[in-house]
Amino acid sequence: MTLVSNAKSWQDKASWARAQRDASLAKVEPKLQGLPDKLPLSSQELPKSVLTQREIEITENYTVNELLAVLRERKISVEEVTRAFLRRAALAQAATNCLVGLMWDEAISRAKYLDSLPEPKGALYGLPISTKEHQGMVGPDVVTTASFVAWVGKKHGSNLLYDTFWDEGCVFYARTTQPQTIMHLETNSNIFGRTINPYNRDLTPGGSSGGEGALLGMRGSIFGVGGDIGGSIRCPAAHVGVYGFKPTLKRISISGQRSIMAGKETIASTGGPMTVDREGLELFMKVALGAKPWRVDPSLTVKEWTPYKFTKPIRVAVQWWDGVVQPHPPITRALKEVAEACRKAGMEVVDWDSESLDHAKAWNIISALYWPDGGEEALGVLRESGEPILPLTKFIIEEQPTVKNLTQHELWELCAKRDQYRVDYARAWTNTADADGREVDVILCPPSFGAATPHDQSRYWGYTAQWNLLDYPGAVFPVTTVDPAKDPKDLNYVPRNDEDKFVYDMYSPEKYANAPVSLQLVGRRQYDEKVLAALAEIEHAMGRK
Amino acid sequence: MTLVSNAKSWQDKASWARAQRDASLAKVEPKLQGLPDKLPLSSQELPKSVLTQREIEITENYTVNELLAVLRERKISVEEVTRAFLRRAALAQAATNCLVGLMWDEAISRAKYLDSLPEPKGALYGLPISTKEHQGMVGPDVVTTASFVAWVGKKHGSNLLYDTFWDEGCVFYARTTQPQTIMHLETNSNIFGRTINPYNRDLTPGGSSGGEGALLGMRGSIFGVGGDIGGSIRCPAAHVGVYGFKPTLKRISISGQRSIMAGKETIASTGGPMTVDREGLELFMKVALGAKPWRVDPSLTVKEWTPYKFTKPIRVAVQWWDGVVQPHPPITRALKEVAEACRKAGMEVVDWDSESLDHAKAWNIISALYWPDGGEEALGVLRESGEPILPLTKFIIEEQPTVKNLTQHELWELCAKRDQYRVDYARAWTNTADADGREVDVILCPPSFGAATPHDQSRYWGYTAQWNLLDYPGAVFPVTTVDPAKDPKDLNYVPRNDEDKFVYDMYSPEKYANAPVSLQLVGRRQYDEKVLAALAEIEHAMGRK
């Protein structure tokens, strides 16, 4: 194996990183057997032929809370649970290329330690948690690339959130892929290549937390940590049919994660949960905030998780489209189905008028504020190794006419525009109470213009980035799957603009076989608890637990 | 009177503004009589010879809450209260030059309206509130200069905070002075000249809310609105012996205030109360947040005012000095007196080790972050009219070696340093619990290196700006006055650095005759309610109500 310190070319560095990953996967015991030579379009049936019945039971039969209960009651040992998830994660890697490394030895040693305790201890006792690589990892000798070839082999420690989860007794076992610059809504890098959607190899699992998405979509994890600055939790959660939540900024600490542009404050990212069930989202928030992280990260809002209770039927506004790009038919159908279920359950359902709120303007602002230096620092780290700039990196930096290296005065002007846009939006929301004193509780909206896209086609961020600009909390939940019978292309639709045409032309139902279709629920800034409470109401209306 | 639109020179524009002010004061009825030809050093005895007994009673005999009760019970009409404060404000102007204008007609008309209501209405019913000029004023045709000659005569409307107070039934009646650029800890501008300390004409009332300070120090107001980005509420409150509170950012809206550098987010200002009694501070916060201002200003923290209750004796850390500049003897004596009272009341009093927390570094960071464009925009607005740059403007922009027009990368580096400094400080505070699990509740510290300084000598901001950098809430309260017998100069002290020498050389007790001496109480970020609760505990320990 080439030592990274001797690696001269970017290709050598990337090979070294992949060799490290492969070495970590080679530890899997028993080895994975039963994988077909040619992987099928959908990876959903693979576990049946590769995993044991017991492994399938452990990884499939429990919600997050149920698995925690089983662990706490010591009905199954932490080690057995951990080994099952390790093996299933290895399978997910074989199927979707979602891992940068498997923590075989560390996880089993941690599991043995937790099993050896006289009493189960901690809110996450024994729970295997998968993690997005750039956020770091518990332990001072961890290396973290953040998907930059230049950073291959670079040491980087833990972050505050992981420390909290660790203190609560979790097991870290799998670190997941993310795209170059961590700023694609897909997952492709020069180090680890492309991550694949576990429902359809021709589609992306989304990004930037796409390794998490693919792993959760394979149930190689039931509780993962993502991060979101433009849709990076919600988009992959939506594309693989799991739950994801982007909290309001400054509730979940990002202290300690590795990223470029440290000190930039125009638009920030937040960590957040990606889980296989709704209750997992709330558990994540409750445990993260129960540790009072603001005592060591003073940027955070001082507020523990405070569950919200509705006293009347909720008022849901439906955003049928954002005024820029018409969603694909499966999304519109999902909106109709859920709105109808809400109505039947006695909720009030109204329309959300995005058109008059100029979402295109929001994109013009946020796309510039992502890169106030014109992308210089990001491009500089790419140049450092000589790795190629990938198409979706080009898209988000070089092809956005708004992106430029700003003077201080240009920066202030843009930030002032951002702030005014936020004010206008807040006032529009407040004004929904004008008629009868009751304002809209949540907006039900698409998490993307469609289901998971074919590779390299995720070139419209409006349905998620809008809520990053506004700093509104957003939860994503699965609704249905693409159905060619129910979701034909509207052949009479006339696109309104270039982006709309690009998105319209992309659709034909056959491309999206098996693809999950999800929706998003958005609340006002800092009403995180309300969003998750509303999600429970809506899922109950849909006939779910 | 010259019309401002025809005024060509900066002097003409400034004259026009002063003429406007004088015209507003000429409406005072009955005219002020009994002012001596030569004003005495202290203005404290002037009301006796100028105001009626009834006016003195109305303006002196009540705390804020008591006056509100009297108004609510309609024991005195709003008009009579308003006229008394209008006349006393006019006297304060004659004595200290603290007003940019008196709102004679508007205030009396408002008072008559409030008196005409069938029932008193609103939490601030009938309360005269004085206001810092650059924050604007209720009404669309208001003009606001923000102390820039270039902006003389410029229209500028209200802000959200004023709208809230207005909705709660207050009376606006006096608009107060602030310094050039609103970035001095004194109050001097080319438009209105210098504002004077009501206890000693040779001293400053502080700044930048120094017009408020002087007016409150004359009891020409008992409830004022200031703003603070480096000490601008706390410094003037301290220098005139009233109460002031700088909340954590994003509790009080500054939406609508006029200022330069809109969109800058490195370091922000906040509005806050300046009042003649402690309870006034809490009233201000309660009313401002009771209106749920975050529904229209989405930058705000969603949290109503939530009074804090201590269940044990509080733990107070005393900052005897900041490791850079030794406070003058009266401040040190005040610290000793209050610490001793706290100890006697059963509180735990420990030392705060500022030296190891490198407050000089904090100043290096914040002084640069005030002007990330090197002061270009501010200096540009000065150049626009041709008005001279005043010495304390030179001090805070041109004489700070840290100030420069930053590239985006330099900006990020500084912001990252700021954030790391905040983390280090938060962790140090958290670590005070290491010994016994109980952390320090509040820091008792100087609000300045001394009492009010001689004019143009306020050239060390460390004792207030430190807490702006950290975004910690800070309350200022009066303790004592300078006493030559108790506060002799320490002739053996050897200054540690240039700033320390400058401050040391400034002191001799005779200069500070009558000057109020105040202290500051600081809490952790977002623990605003705790700071005011601790202040009540400490004032009780001092034998106050």
Side-chain angles (χ1 to χ4, degrees):
Chain A
M1 190 187 303
T2 319
L3 275 177
V4 67
S5 54
N6 297 332
K8 295 249 167 69
S9 70
W10 74 262
Q11 290 92 338
D12 287 349
K13 287 186 180 169
S15 297
W16 182 86
R18 286 193 300 272
Q20 294 276 340
R21 176 199 63 194
D22 294 345
S24 80
L25 280 150
K27 300 203 171 185
V28 173
E29 193 57 52
K31 304 281 171 228
L32 298 185
Q33 285 185 321
L35 274 171
D37 286 346
K38 184 177 180 312
L39 290 166
L41 190 69
S42 166
S43 305
Q44 293 300 308
E45 301 301 315
L46 293 176
K48 275 187 207 156
S49 49
V50 176
L51 302 179
T52 66
Q53 194 47 47
R54 176 71 171 160
E55 285 167 340
I56 288 176
E57 183 192 311
I58 289 173
T59 52
E60 292 188 8
N61 286 12
Y62 305 101
T63 67
V64 174
N65 281 332
E66 286 166 358
L67 185 64
L68 278 168
V70 161
L71 285 159
R72 212 158 29 232
E73 291 159 18
R74 293 194 152 163
K75 289 188 181 158
I76 313 181
S77 73
V78 179
E79 184 174 349
E80 192 177 9
V81 168
T82 298
R83 284 180 182 270
F85 277 99
L86 280 165
R87 286 245 306 155
R88 192 160 183 143
L91 170 59
Q93 164 61 19
T96 68
N97 191 30
C98 60
L99 298 187
V100 309
L102 196 66
M103 300 170 64
W104 184 268
D105 291 338
E106 300 91 326
I108 290 175
S109 137
R110 171 75 170 170
K112 283 180 197 287
Y113 161 76
L114 292 168
D115 282 329
S116 78
L117 294 176
E119 293 289 333
K121 225 177 83 180
L124 302 177
Y125 174 76
L127 185 69
I129 297 183
S130 56
T131 54
K132 192 175 183 181
E133 191 250 20
H134 84 109
Q135 293 169 341
M137 180 42 62
V138 169
D141 290 325
V142 174
V143 296
T144 300
T145 69
S147 300
F148 285 112
V149 174
W151 290 354
V152 164
K154 281 220 175 166
K155 268 203 196 179
H156 187 78
S158 186
N159 68 39
L160 188 53
L161 179 66
Y162 290 7
D163 293 345
T164 298
F165 287 171
W166 185 253
D167 290 346
E168 293 294 336
C170 77
V171 177
F172 290 122
Y173 70 108
R175 300 177 72 196
T176 57
T177 52
Q178 65 237 334
Q180 186 180 59
T181 71
I182 320 189
M183 285 293 284
H184 308 177
L185 291 183
E186 301 195 8
T187 301
N188 185 19
S189 75
N190 289 316
I191 308 177
F192 297 108
R194 194 183 289 285
T195 303
I196 298 300
N197 192 303
Y199 285 86
N200 183 329
R201 308 194 65 71
D202 295 335
L203 303 177
T204 176
S208 69
S209 312
E212 283 300 317
L215 182 62
L216 281 146
M218 288 292 290
R219 250 187 128 95
S221 166
I222 61 173
F223 190 95
V225 185
D228 196 313
I229 194 171
S232 287
I233 286 173
R234 293 161 291 153
C235 159
H239 287 359
V240 302
V242 302
Y243 292 78
F245 183 51
K246 176 194 83 68
T248 302
L249 291 178
K250 304 303 179 193
R251 294 208 74 180
I252 298 296
S253 179
I254 53 168
S255 173
Q257 80 175 19
R258 183 198 280 277
S259 48
I260 47 172
M261 304 193 279
K264 174 187 73 119
E265 50 187 344
T266 50
I267 294 288
S269 73
T270 176
M274 297 171 69
T275 66
V276 292
D277 54 69
R278 187 186 71 240
E279 288 178 349
L281 302 181
E282 187 130 5
L283 175 73
F284 179 110
M285 297 302 294
K286 206 176 117 196
V287 173
L289 301 186
K292 302 188 199 301
W294 48 84
R295 298 186 71 225
V296 281
D297 178 354
S299 74
L300 299 178
T301 302
V302 177
K303 187 183 174 195
E304 293 208 35
W305 187 254
T306 315
Y308 189 94
K309 298 255 180 270
F310 288 100
T311 53
K312 322 185 193 178
I314 65 176
R315 181 177 283 196
V316 181
V318 180
Q319 180 205 40
W320 298 101
W321 81 307
D322 70 352
V324 184
V325 159
Q326 190 68 49
H328 288 167
I331 294 282
T332 303
R333 175 169 60 85
L335 285 170
K336 282 182 187 160
E337 287 175 9
V338 175
E340 188 51 29
C342 290
R343 247 187 237 106
K344 281 196 178 145
M347 300 175 194
E348 195 179 344
V349 179
V350 299
D351 291 338
W352 187 257
D353 176 16
S354 294
E355 223 162 336
S356 72
L357 290 163
D358 201 351
H359 284 214
K361 183 178 181 182
W363 177 250
N364 286 336
I365 297 169
I366 196 171
S367 59
L369 289 180
Y370 282 140
W371 316 97
D373 70 340
E376 261 191 18
E377 184 168 324
L379 298 172
V381 182
L382 298 180
R383 270 195 304 273
E384 201 182 317
S385 68
E387 65 171 306
I389 300 177
L390 296 178
L392 291 183
T393 304
K394 277 207 180 73
F395 164 74
I396 197 62
I397 302 180
E398 297 180 341
E399 294 169 16
Q400 298 300 318
T402 51
V403 173
K404 57 173 287 201
N405 194 339
L406 304 168
T407 65
Q408 293 297 324
H409 292 175
E410 289 166 338
L411 175 74
W412 298 347
E413 197 184 329
L414 257 173
C415 288
K417 266 192 200 166
R418 173 200 64 193
D419 296 346
Q420 188 56 51
Y421 188 83
R422 288 171 174 171
V423 166
D424 293 342
Y425 219 93
R427 293 183 183 188
W429 194 313
T430 293
N431 291 344
T432 61
D434 279 356
D436 60 359
R438 269 199 70 201
E439 72 179 34
V440 160
D441 291 304
V442 281
I443 302 173
L444 179 68
C445 54
S448 171
F449 54 79
T453 69
H455 301 301
D456 283 337
Q457 302 305 301
S458 298
R459 290 162 182 267
Y460 182 72
W461 293 28
Y463 282 100
T464 44
Q466 173 73 21
W467 314 117
N468 295 87
L469 181 70
L470 293 169
D471 194 19
Y472 288 0
V476 156
F477 60 107
V479 175
T480 181
T481 52
V482 176
D483 181 337
K486 294 177 180 168
D487 305 318
K489 185 165 179 133
D490 175 0
L491 298 171
N492 298 318
Y493 183 72
V494 181
R496 315 269 190 114
N497 54 59
D498 288 350
E499 284 162 311
D500 198 22
K501 181 169 190 316
F502 171 79
V503 164
Y504 175 75
D505 289 346
M506 192 189 307
Y507 186 69
S508 78
E510 302 69 36
K511 281 191 200 166
Y512 293 88
N514 318 310
V517 174
S518 303
L519 291 181
Q520 183 175 200
L521 205 61
V522 164
R524 296 192 78 151
R525 180 168 174 269
Q526 296 192 350
Y527 284 92
D528 302 83
E529 288 87 343
K530 188 175 184 177
V531 168
L532 293 194
L535 180 56
E537 300 281 326
I538 288 173
E539 289 217 307
H540 296 157
M542 293 165 72
R544 297 178 181 172
K545 262 211 305 192
Chain B
M1 189 186 305
T2 318
L3 276 177
V4 68
S5 54
N6 298 330
K8 294 252 168 67
S9 71
W10 75 261
Q11 292 92 338
D12 287 348
K13 286 187 180 168
S15 298
W16 182 86
R18 285 193 300 273
Q20 294 277 338
R21 176 199 63 194
D22 294 345
S24 79
L25 282 149
K27 302 204 168 183
V28 173
E29 192 61 49
K31 304 279 171 230
L32 298 184
Q33 286 186 322
L35 273 170
D37 287 345
K38 184 179 181 313
L39 289 165
L41 191 67
S42 168
S43 306
Q44 293 299 308
E45 302 301 316
L46 293 176
K48 275 186 210 157
S49 48
V50 175
L51 301 181
T52 66
Q53 194 47 46
R54 176 71 173 160
E55 286 167 339
I56 289 177
E57 184 192 311
I58 289 173
T59 53
E60 290 187 10
N61 285 11
Y62 304 101
T63 67
V64 176
N65 282 331
E66 286 165 358
L67 185 63
L68 278 169
V70 160
L71 285 161
R72 213 159 24 234
E73 292 158 19
R74 294 193 150 164
K75 290 187 179 157
I76 313 181
S77 73
V78 179
E79 184 174 349
E80 191 176 11
V81 168
T82 299
R83 285 180 181 272
F85 278 100
L86 279 165
R87 286 245 306 154
R88 191 160 184 144
L91 170 60
Q93 165 61 18
T96 68
N97 191 31
C98 59
L99 297 187
V100 308
L102 196 66
M103 300 169 63
W104 184 267
D105 292 336
E106 300 91 326
I108 290 175
S109 137
R110 171 76 170 170
K112 285 181 195 287
Y113 161 76
L114 292 169
D115 282 330
S116 77
L117 293 176
E119 294 289 333
K121 224 176 84 181
L124 303 177
Y125 175 77
L127 184 71
I129 297 183
S130 56
T131 54
K132 191 175 185 181
E133 191 249 19
H134 83 107
Q135 294 168 341
M137 180 43 62
V138 170
D141 291 325
V142 174
V143 296
T144 301
T145 70
S147 299
F148 285 110
V149 175
W151 291 353
V152 164
K154 282 221 174 165
K155 267 203 195 180
H156 186 78
S158 186
N159 68 39
L160 187 54
L161 180 66
Y162 290 6
D163 293 344
T164 298
F165 288 171
W166 185 255
D167 290 344
E168 294 294 336
C170 77
V171 177
F172 291 121
Y173 70 109
R175 301 178 70 195
T176 57
T177 52
Q178 64 237 334
Q180 186 179 59
T181 72
I182 319 186
M183 285 292 286
H184 307 177
L185 290 183
E186 301 195 8
T187 301
N188 186 17
S189 75
N190 288 316
I191 307 176
F192 297 107
R194 192 183 291 285
T195 304
I196 298 300
N197 193 302
Y199 286 86
N200 183 327
R201 309 194 63 74
D202 295 335
L203 304 177
T204 177
S208 67
S209 315
E212 283 300 315
L215 182 62
L216 281 146
M218 286 295 288
R219 250 187 127 93
S221 166
I222 61 172
F223 190 95
V225 185
D228 195 314
I229 194 171
S232 287
I233 286 171
R234 293 161 292 155
C235 160
H239 287 358
V240 302
V242 302
Y243 293 77
F245 183 51
K246 175 194 84 67
T248 303
L249 291 178
K250 306 303 179 190
R251 294 210 73 180
I252 298 297
S253 180
I254 53 168
S255 174
Q257 81 176 18
R258 185 198 280 277
S259 48
I260 47 172
M261 303 193 279
K264 173 186 74 115
E265 51 187 343
T266 50
I267 294 288
S269 73
T270 176
M274 297 174 68
T275 65
V276 293
D277 54 68
R278 188 186 70 240
E279 288 178 350
L281 303 180
E282 189 132 3
L283 176 71
F284 180 112
M285 296 301 293
K286 208 177 113 194
V287 174
L289 301 187
K292 303 189 198 301
W294 48 84
R295 298 187 71 223
V296 280
D297 178 354
S299 74
L300 299 176
T301 301
V302 178
K303 188 183 172 193
E304 293 208 34
W305 186 255
T306 315
Y308 189 94
K309 299 255 179 271
F310 288 101
T311 53
K312 322 183 194 182
I314 65 176
R315 181 177 284 193
V316 181
V318 180
Q319 181 205 41
W320 298 101
W321 80 310
D322 70 352
V324 185
V325 160
Q326 190 68 48
H328 289 166
I331 294 283
T332 303
R333 174 169 63 83
L335 285 169
K336 282 182 187 159
E337 287 175 10
V338 175
E340 187 52 28
C342 290
R343 244 186 239 105
K344 280 196 177 146
M347 299 176 195
E348 196 180 346
V349 179
V350 300
D351 292 338
W352 187 257
D353 177 15
S354 294
E355 222 161 338
S356 72
L357 290 164
D358 201 351
H359 284 213
K361 183 180 181 180
W363 178 250
N364 287 335
I365 297 170
I366 198 171
S367 58
L369 289 180
Y370 283 140
W371 316 98
D373 69 340
E376 260 190 20
E377 183 168 326
L379 298 172
V381 182
L382 298 179
R383 269 196 306 272
E384 201 182 316
S385 68
E387 65 172 306
I389 300 177
L390 296 177
L392 291 184
T393 304
K394 277 207 179 71
F395 163 75
I396 198 61
I397 302 180
E398 296 179 343
E399 294 169 17
Q400 299 300 319
T402 51
V403 173
K404 57 173 289 205
N405 193 339
L406 303 169
T407 65
Q408 293 297 324
H409 293 175
E410 289 166 339
L411 175 74
W412 298 347
E413 196 183 329
L414 259 172
C415 288
K417 264 190 200 165
R418 174 200 65 193
D419 296 344
Q420 187 56 51
Y421 187 83
R422 288 172 174 171
V423 166
D424 293 343
Y425 219 93
R427 293 182 184 190
W429 194 313
T430 294
N431 291 343
T432 61
D434 279 356
D436 59 0
R438 268 200 72 201
E439 71 178 35
V440 160
D441 290 305
V442 281
I443 303 173
L444 178 69
C445 53
S448 170
F449 54 79
T453 68
H455 300 301
D456 282 337
Q457 301 305 300
S458 297
R459 292 163 180 266
Y460 181 73
W461 292 28
Y463 282 101
T464 43
Q466 174 73 22
W467 314 117
N468 295 89
L469 181 69
L470 292 170
D471 194 20
Y472 289 1
V476 156
F477 60 107
V479 175
T480 181
T481 52
V482 175
D483 182 338
K486 294 178 179 168
D487 305 317
K489 186 167 178 128
D490 176 359
L491 298 172
N492 297 319
Y493 183 72
V494 181
R496 315 270 189 114
N497 54 58
D498 288 351
E499 284 163 311
D500 199 23
K501 182 170 188 316
F502 171 78
V503 165
Y504 174 76
D505 289 347
M506 191 189 309
Y507 187 70
S508 78
E510 302 70 34
K511 283 190 199 167
Y512 293 88
N514 318 311
V517 174
S518 303
L519 291 180
Q520 181 176 204
L521 205 60
V522 164
R524 297 192 77 154
R525 180 167 174 270
Q526 297 194 346
Y527 284 91
D528 303 82
E529 288 87 344
K530 189 175 183 177
V531 168
L532 293 195
L535 179 57
E537 300 282 326
I538 288 173
E539 289 216 307
H540 296 156
M542 292 165 72
R544 296 178 182 173
K545 260 212 307 190

